[in-house]
Amino acid sequence: MTPEDRTLELSPEAFSRLIDAAARRVIAHVASLPAQPSADTEGGAALARSLREPLPESGRPAEELLDLLFERVIPKSFNTAGPGYLAYIPGGGLPHAAVADFIADAVNRYVGVFAAAPGLAQIETNVVRWFADLAGYPAEARGILTTGGSLATFSALVAARRDRLPENFLAGTLYVSDQTHHATRKAALLAGFPADNVRAIESDGLFRIRPDALAAAVAADRAAGLRPFFVVGNAGTTNTGAVDDLVALADLCARERLWFHVDAAYGGFFLLTREGRRRLSGIERSDSIVLDPHKGLFLPYGTGALLVRDGGALERAHGLTADYLPSMQEDPDLVDFNLLSPELSRDFRGLRVWLPLKMHGIGPFRANLEEKLELARHAARELARIPDVEIVAEPQLSIVAFRLAPPGLDGPALDRVNRALLERVNGRRRVYLTGTLLNGRFAIRLCVLSFRTHRERVDAALEDIRSAADEVRAGGTP
Ligand SMILES: Cc1ncc(COP(=O)(O)O)c(C=O)c1O
């Protein structure tokens, strides 16, 4: 093999050509997002199978590979970045963040160790501090950016476990509501707790945890010799956007000396709005908070965040060194992320948050979130005017849940009608909605969160729901 055969370095010209070729396609793709179907996965499994291949021995031209991606592979998916994505919890994908990722990957600096890239580590520290300020956390709070809410929840739970339980922690019990995202259950399993140690406390008519039921469960567990230690408050559930009474939970946790964790993965950035501040009041008294910038800050997937009020607790759970990696600085004012996180080597995810926030300032983010709150209220008002539509959950943030409830129908027959309605709405391909079970019955959810979703797309959703409901009521089958 000659040195030429071995080289992996791109010449400046070849690098520039590759960037141009990718940029041309990305820019055209993003411009076409509103016109793309809201989902297109027909033939997806066949496509996936057709892509299987052995490790290639020789290379192919970049243009051919980019064509494969942009013409065949990317189109077969949910259009999660488009304005019609009103399913689950939408993200968005600010393009500035993609440019930040490009820079971060190309310079490939090491931000997990402060001494290796002090300025870049500080940029990520600034981002975490901005989030802590938003939550009302004190100066000694610390945090990390994670790949998402699930891993942030895991680190929160491990920090709480180390802080509140002995080495043998198997008697420790955790409390969530029957609406809490399963990320907490998964974190508990990963952290070594028996599945039965997670108590699902019932919620009230507005899908908020019942503090009286929580207090009773804690008392019963203590009486049984268990060690209650961790309570999750929801700041926006995935099902309906319900926000628990965080003040009541903070009081209860203070009284019972329990770690108070808030799952604000979906709802946290509504703190930027006046209404969100009011609804999330009490969050500042929590011990830890999970936020997902890839939801409420419209960033690409792979951007979560954890904040811990007592930064020392986060470090005591994660801060290990080794002979080959001794601590390289001791200034408590400077942050070594590897001592606060399960990760050592990792991408520089702070830049993808920092660049759009620095380019725009926070104003447009706040305005977008205010708009989403209003769009959900608008959707709820208009849905209620459709004959036989019942609002199952009024928006507390930017989710509304509803169902078609023609007189005389209930039980599984009602569920079938609503599954058919959902299928018809999604089949029109302008919007993509998803369903869930609320009190055991199927309901359709509409969640507005993307920075690309505005009034005209929500009105298109309403038009499609109206016409699909007419068809379903007339007895059509999907
Ligand atoms: C309320 C809530 N918590 C936690 C999560 C898990 O976050 P992630 O998907 O970023 O791991 C989600 C995800 O949708 C969520 O909606």
Side-chain angles (χ1 to χ4, degrees):
M1 192 171 248
T2 66
E4 289 72 43
D5 291 333
R6 238 185 355 249
T7 187
L8 287 169
E9 194 68 81
L10 292 172
S11 69
E13 297 73 28
F15 192 19
S16 183
R17 272 199 307 278
L18 180 57
I19 293 167
D20 287 347
R24 231 182 314 114
R25 285 170 175 80
V26 167
I27 290 165
H29 175 82
V30 169
S32 77
L33 282 171
Q36 290 178 23
S38 55
D40 174 15
T41 51
E42 225 178 288
L47 166 71
R49 286 197 187 89
S50 77
L51 293 172
R52 289 180 188 165
E53 59 176 342
L55 178 66
E57 195 57 51
S58 52
R60 305 294 313 162
E63 290 283 351
E64 178 187 311
L65 302 175
L66 292 171
D67 284 348
L68 168 74
L69 280 176
F70 281 87
E71 286 167 20
R72 284 190 56 212
V73 183
I74 295 170
K76 282 280 157 212
S77 46
F78 296 175
N79 183 3
T80 43
Y85 194 69
L86 308 174
Y88 308 105
I89 308 287
L94 287 173
H96 331 46
V99 176
D101 280 359
F102 166 66
I103 297 169
D105 289 357
V107 304
N108 198 30
R109 293 303 197 244
Y110 205 82
V111 291
V113 173
F114 178 86
L120 301 181
Q122 187 58 47
I123 281 177
E124 191 157 309
T125 303
N126 286 359
V127 166
V128 171
R129 188 62 242 167
W130 295 339
F131 293 170
D133 287 342
L134 184 64
Y137 267 14
E140 64 274 16
R142 289 287 178 272
I144 49 174
L145 298 184
T146 65
T147 50
S150 300
L151 276 184
T153 305
F154 175 65
S155 269
L157 182 51
V158 169
R161 188 193 80 195
R162 280 237 162 261
D163 196 62
R164 301 294 164 99
L165 295 175
E167 280 288 310
N168 182 348
F169 54 79
L170 293 182
T173 48
L174 302 82
Y175 303 82
V176 299
S177 86
D178 55 16
Q179 299 295 306
T180 300
H181 192 277
H182 70 292
T184 299
R185 269 183 191 285
K186 190 186 262 192
L189 279 180
L190 294 175
F193 288 95
D196 281 353
N197 287 27
V198 184
R199 310 268 181 266
I201 307 298
E202 71 188 86
S203 51
D204 63 16
L206 296 178
F207 304 102
R208 301 175 308 186
I209 194 169
R210 281 185 39 200
D212 58 330
L214 171 61
V218 168
D221 284 339
R222 279 205 210 287
L226 295 165
R227 296 191 64 149
F229 82 105
F230 191 83
V231 170
V232 178
N234 298 297
T237 62
T238 313
N239 271 343
T240 65
V243 181
D244 291 337
D245 182 342
L246 301 180
V247 171
L249 292 181
D251 287 344
L252 193 151
C253 289
R255 218 167 40 240
E256 297 283 342
R257 298 177 314 285
L258 304 170
W259 182 286
F260 178 29
H261 173 75
V262 177
D263 181 351
Y266 154 61
F269 287 104
F270 285 106
L271 280 168
L272 289 166
T273 69
R274 193 137 50 120
E275 187 182 339
R277 268 221 161 274
R278 182 178 62 73
R279 285 202 184 268
L280 270 59
S281 164
I283 195 171
E284 70 288 351
R285 292 175 57 198
S286 62
D287 293 295
S288 54
I289 303 173
V290 163
L291 294 166
D292 256 348
H294 64 200
K295 296 184 171 76
L297 278 188
F298 323 123
L299 291 174
Y301 296 120
T303 329
L306 167 65
L307 305 171
V308 178
R309 162 186 296 281
D310 169 12
L314 189 59
E315 182 156 0
R316 285 189 295 281
H318 295 89
L320 290 185
T321 55
D323 293 342
Y324 43 79
L325 192 65
S327 179
M328 290 188 224
Q329 63 87 22
E330 303 293 335
D331 186 339
D333 195 35
L334 304 173
V335 175
D336 268 291
F337 282 111
N338 76 92
L339 298 177
L340 304 179
S341 138
E343 295 178 285
L344 179 55
S345 307
R346 63 169 175 87
D347 56 330
F348 175 24
R349 49 187 83 106
L351 199 64
R352 57 158 66 175
V353 189
W354 181 86
L355 189 66
L357 286 175
K358 286 288 285 184
M359 282 177 67
H360 291 286
I362 200 63
F365 290 85
R366 178 181 293 114
N368 258 284
L369 289 165
E370 274 162 357
E371 180 198 24
K372 307 316 160 209
L373 293 171
E374 174 48 31
L375 286 174
R377 285 192 295 262
H378 167 68
R381 279 193 302 270
E382 292 300 315
L383 284 167
R385 295 171 54 181
I386 301 176
D388 297 336
V389 162
E390 160 190 296
I391 303 296
V392 186
E394 289 284 349
Q396 294 181 39
L397 294 171
S398 69
I399 299 174
V400 53
F402 65 97
R403 69 167 68 95
L404 189 65
L409 264 191
D410 58 15
L414 185 61
D415 289 354
R416 270 196 302 279
V417 157
N418 280 282
R419 287 183 199 279
L421 173 63
L422 178 62
E423 205 171 312
R424 279 181 179 270
V425 172
N426 288 345
R428 285 156 163 80
R429 295 192 169 199
R430 292 203 290 181
V431 296
Y432 194 75
L433 310 181
T434 48
T436 189
L437 294 182
L438 294 173
N439 297 322
R441 288 269 74 89
F442 189 75
I444 302 174
R445 314 156 57 260
L446 186 152
C447 177
V448 195
L449 198 61
S450 169
F451 70 102
R452 294 192 171 110
T453 303
H454 302 294
R455 173 72 181 252
E456 64 278 9
R457 192 59 68 130
V458 172
D459 283 341
L462 291 163
E463 205 175 286
D464 288 353
I465 294 165
R466 240 176 253 121
S467 64
D470 285 345
E471 288 170 12
V472 169
R473 252 192 268 94
T477 46

